[in-house]
Amino acid sequence: MTVEPIQRRKLYQEVLDRLMQRIESGEIGPGDQLPSERELMEVYGVGRVAVREALQELARSGIVEISHGERARVVVPTAHLLIDQIAGGARHLLRMQPETLDHLKEARLFLETGMVKLAAEKATPDDVLRLQARQADHRASMVNLDQFMKQDMAFHREIARISGNPIYPAIVEALFGWASAYYQSIVRAPGAEELTLAEHQKIIDAIAAHDAPGAVKAMSDHLTRASDLYRQADL
């Protein structure tokens, strides 16, 4: 029998646990301010350092927001906020291990083909009109490639929104953000903009026709073929 030694906990961890209990119980709800540092010091009988470390840990986890000169406030949780918490780590991973980009592209293909299938099944006429408007904005941005990339993300985010799951748009935006350097090199390839717009139109047409298999194929072709074609265009 292996006996693990009892780990000594730092004071800030105890403060953190007490605050989390109050937040999870609803005593301090979303949007509410936490007690001041001085109040927390008095209530828990600890020093300022322990309180500040606990608050900083809560802030890093996206549970509270700390603004200069104000008490920490419990954040109203959103999918975008939660996913954004791992954005820095994801970008660092891509920088340190570039081969991870292939895994990211594979994940994007899996997610976006699933999203576009749902979009084709659920899209209303208004949804299709919004997609066409995104396409028009995308074409208009061809004179500014920085904007072109943002409009590209907006198009894919719109499809994610149509799918009906509020987490999907945040995931799409995060995927673009994490691999932004890769996508920037793609859209800057000569002639790549027209290819992107043509493939997007095929996706729109399939969604408008409620052709789920066709939408999946169009999205798969777009995401898997584009990289090779863009590289050829860049030669």
Side-chain angles (χ1 to χ4, degrees):
M1 177 179 174
T2 302
V3 179
E4 294 288 338
I6 297 174
Q7 300 293 324
R8 294 184 63 182
R9 305 191 76 203
K10 295 183 178 180
L11 279 177
Y12 89 88
Q13 293 172 320
E14 296 293 340
V15 177
L16 179 63
D17 284 351
R18 303 285 181 89
L19 288 173
M20 281 301 302
Q21 288 171 9
R22 297 173 70 178
I23 292 170
E24 290 173 353
S25 70
E27 178 187 342
I28 306 175
D32 292 344
Q33 287 185 321
L34 269 62
S36 68
E37 289 185 1
R38 182 170 296 280
E39 289 176 278
L40 292 173
M41 289 163 58
E42 293 174 356
V43 168
Y44 298 130
V46 297
R48 190 178 300 276
V49 172
V51 169
R52 287 188 172 177
E53 287 184 355
L55 293 176
Q56 288 167 2
E57 185 63 29
L58 288 172
R60 281 193 292 269
S61 300
I63 297 169
V64 305
E65 182 179 67
I66 301 175
S67 299
H68 182 67
E70 296 183 6
R71 286 185 287 160
R73 185 183 300 275
V74 178
V75 174
V76 178
T78 65
H80 190 281
L81 178 66
L82 294 174
I83 292 172
D84 193 51
Q85 293 302 308
I86 64 173
R91 285 191 292 268
H92 178 66
L93 177 62
L94 285 168
R95 284 194 297 268
M96 299 302 293
Q97 298 182 24
E99 65 274 12
T100 305
L101 180 61
D102 287 334
H103 298 153
L104 185 64
K105 293 190 307 189
E106 182 179 291
R108 184 186 175 197
L109 175 63
F110 178 80
L111 288 166
E112 291 218 49
T113 52
M115 291 178 207
V116 81
K117 178 178 182 293
L118 290 173
E121 293 169 349
K122 297 181 177 182
T124 66
D126 284 345
D127 290 329
V128 175
L129 286 175
R130 276 193 290 270
L131 271 178
Q132 293 285 17
R134 292 292 188 193
Q135 178 80 332
D137 290 342
H138 203 177
R139 180 169 291 282
S141 71
M142 287 179 67
V143 295
N144 184 332
L145 288 180
D146 289 333
Q147 285 300 313
F148 189 86
M149 201 164 123
K150 291 179 182 178
Q151 292 298 334
D152 189 28
M153 186 272 291
F155 175 84
H156 287 268
R157 197 177 193 281
E158 187 68 33
I159 292 173
R161 185 198 62 77
I162 295 170
S163 70
N165 188 320
I167 294 176
Y168 290 160
I171 292 175
V172 168
E173 194 166 332
L175 287 171
F176 269 82
W178 298 342
S180 59
Y182 165 75
Y183 291 121
Q184 187 169 356
S185 65
I186 281 178
V187 300
R188 289 188 182 280
E193 314 89 75
E194 287 291 352
L195 174 62
T196 295
L197 291 168
E199 292 184 337
H200 280 188
Q201 190 59 52
K202 289 181 180 179
I203 294 169
I204 294 172
D205 293 343
I207 291 174
H210 298 290
D211 177 8
V216 169
K217 184 179 186 305
M219 180 65 79
S220 180
D221 287 347
H222 174 51
L223 296 180
T224 57
R225 268 192 329 203
S227 295
D228 290 339
L229 291 174
Y230 291 151
R231 289 193 190 100
Q232 291 172 17
D234 200 29
L235 295 175

